[in-house]
Amino acid sequence: MESLREQYNVDIFCLNEAVPEMESMLAKKGYKVAFIARSDHHGVMIASRLPISNRRHYELVETMRRGSPHRTPILMADFMHQKRKITVATAHLTYFGPTEFFRRDREKHEVIKYIPPNNAIFGGDLNTFVFPFVKWTLKEQGLKHKVQGKTWRLVVGGRRTPIKMQLDHVFTTKDLSGAVNAKILPEQSVSDHFPILVTVS
């Protein structure tokens, strides 16, 4: 993360497979940190060199995950950018399988309830390569999809395979669409997901 910060001058990181130990580690490096654990996997985290205000999280509709009830959090915080307040929101949706369509459908409708109507950027590991997730609901609500391309590589036994797909997405509210750009960065050895750099003009 430090190398990405230095190379691309990153102010805010959204981490979708964060562990509690990262919170104190980043705080010691001077980051302001918002972190929410998940009940079935690593948590979501926003780490920032900028002041964080109005940090909050919402739990999506309860679903069954591996036979147990589970709620996925969507984490968000506000930041000032050129005298404008912008909300950054992130989530790590639960894994999507062929028998879990209705669970994912419920999650995506819940996501829309919590994204502010203006000045908002939402992104994360949505664990879906199914195009309708992007098309349905989010587009109908006026959110703009900002990144297209492979963001994840299948790793088996520590070896990276040629199999790649897009599991991570970035959206903005309509008013920010022209001011926000997103691009997929080269792979990093620490993750099977590729970082996405989001810039706001």
Side-chain angles (χ1 to χ4, degrees), residues 176-196:
L176 282 185
S177 181
V180 173
N181 289 297
K183 69 175 182 178
I184 301 168
L185 299 180
E187 291 182 70
Q188 306 291 310
S189 60
V190 296
S191 177
D192 53 356
H193 290 261
F194 312 162
I196 299 175

Side-chain angles (χ1 to χ4, degrees), residues 24 52 74 94 143 152:
S24 58
I52 294 176
I74 178 169
T94 48
L143 294 184
W152 172 84

